[in-house]
Amino acid sequence: MGNVTVIGAQWGDEGKGKVIDWLADRADVVVRFQGGNNAGHTIVVGNTEYRFSLLPSGVAQGKLSVIGNGVVVDPWSLLDEIARVQGQGLAITPQVLALADAAALVLPLHRDLDAAREARAGAGKIGTTGRGIGPAYEDKVGRRAIRFCDLGDPAALETKIERLLAHHQPLRRGLDLPEVTAEAVLSQLEEIAPRVLPFVQPSWRVLDRAAKAGQRVLFEGAQAVMLDVDHGTYPFVTSSNTVAGQAAAGSGVGPRATGYVLGIVKAYTTRVGEGPFPCELKDEIGERIGQRGAEFGTVTGRKRRCGWFDAVLVRQSVAVSGVDGVALTKLDVLDGLETLKICVGYRLGDRILDYLPAGLSDQAAVTPIYEEIEGWSQVTHKARSWRDLPAAAVKYVRRIEELIGAQIALVTTSPDRDDVIMMRDPFRG
Ligand code: IMP
C-alpha cells in the first residue's frame, strides 16, 4: 500500500477535512505541507465537531501529525487551537505532533500588513482571510523570516528580528501603522518559545523514519489548485503552491513519496473572496445551493459564492496537479433540483476555449457553455453504496468523470465520517 496526497481541485472548501479524516484512519502519519491558519477543515465524529486550522486532521485519531516546513505557522493561533481541541478531549503531545524546525512564523506584524493592504485596496482587494499568510510567505521568500528553529537560539533571534524590522518599519510607515519595537517582538517570541519548542524537530527526519519503517503517510493539502500562486486565478489566489507537487517540497520527501493524488471536488462550485468565477449563480438556485450546502466559511464565516459544476476548471486542476482520482463531495446538496448544468467549455469573444486562460481580464470575460443534465428527486443524503444512488445521480457522477478525465474514487453524501461510497481505495492506487 502506498501513500496518498489529498488536494482541493476547485477554490477550496470542497470538504477535504472529512475525506482526510476518513483516510487518516488507515494512515500512520498525517502531514500538512503548505498554507497556514487560513485553512479550515471540519471533521464530525459522532456528536463532536472538530475544527482544524493548523493542526493536521490526523490528530482527531491520535495519528502522528506533522506540520511541515512549507506551512507558515502563527504560533499563537496554533497554541489556541491546541488548547481548544484538548478541551474537546484530544491529547496533543510531542509524541503526536511534530512542528518543522524550518517552518516560517506568522507574526502579528504580518496580520497588520494583510489587513492594512486589504483596507487600502478598495475594489482591488483580494478578499484574504486576514491571517497574514501572504506577508509571511513574502518574508520567507525574502529570506528574512523568523523560523521555529530560531526560537531556540536567542542570540541569533535578536539579529533576525532587526533584519525583519528593517524591512517592515518603512512599510508600516507608508500604511500609517504604528512602529513596532524589536524589544516587543522579542518578548512576544520569548513568551511562546517554551510552549512550542517541545514540538519542534527536523520533521523531514520523522518522515524519513516513517518511510523506512514502511509506514503509510497521508499528505493533507489546504486551499485548492485554483488558489495556487502559480496555477490559480492570479492575483486572486493564496500565497503558496497548493498543487500536489508541493507535498514533497513542503514536507521534505522525494516526489515519488507523495503517492496517489486524490483531488477533492465538490459536486458544484464555490468560491470565497474576490476573483473570477465563470459559473457563479447570482440567482435563487445559487442561494438554494448555498443554504443547503451550508456554504459559509469555517475560518471567516463569510458567505461563499456558489455556482454550477465547472468541468473545464477541474480538468485543468487534474492536469496541473497530476490527480489520479477524485473524491466527489456534497452530492446530496443537489437533491431535488429538476435540472443540473455542467460547464463544458468557455466562450471568449468569438473563440471557444477548453481551458481557463491565465490572464485576469480573459478569466473575467469568459462565459460558460453549459450542458444540461436531468436532476433527481430522490434523497442521496447519507447514501453509503452505489446502489443507493438514483439513476440520474449515477449519470451525473459518470458524466463528470468523463469530462474531467480522472476516475471518481469516492463519493461523500453527508458530513458524517461514515457516509462515503468507495469505488476505489486510494491507498491501493
Ligand atoms: P489568504 O490565503 O488569506 O491570503 O487569502 C487569499 C485567497 O485565498 C482569498 O480569496 C481567500 O478567501 C482564499 N482562501 C484562503 N484560504 C482558503 C481556504 O481554506 N478555503 C477557501 N478559500 C481560501
Side-chain angles (χ1 to χ4, degrees), residues 327-347:
L328 191 71
T329 63
K330 295 184 115 173
L331 183 67
D332 56 302
V333 171
L334 302 178
D335 289 358
L337 285 170
E338 211 168 297
T339 308
L340 305 173
K341 291 185 186 179
I342 301 177
C343 172
V344 294
Y346 300 129
R347 210 166 256 119

Side-chain angles (χ1 to χ4, degrees), residues 278-320:
C279 294
E280 183 168 12
L281 286 168
K282 292 182 176 162
D283 57 9
E284 68 281 7
I285 298 183
E287 222 15 73
R288 173 187 163 142
I289 292 175
Q291 288 300 331
R292 287 194 56 134
E295 296 296 352
F296 297 90
T298 42
V299 176
T300 57
R302 288 180 292 177
K303 193 171 169 184
R304 298 177 187 142
R305 301 152 66 192
C306 297
W308 293 122
F309 187 83
D310 189 338
V312 182
L313 206 83
V314 175
R315 186 166 59 222
Q316 194 157 326
S317 293
V318 164
V320 300

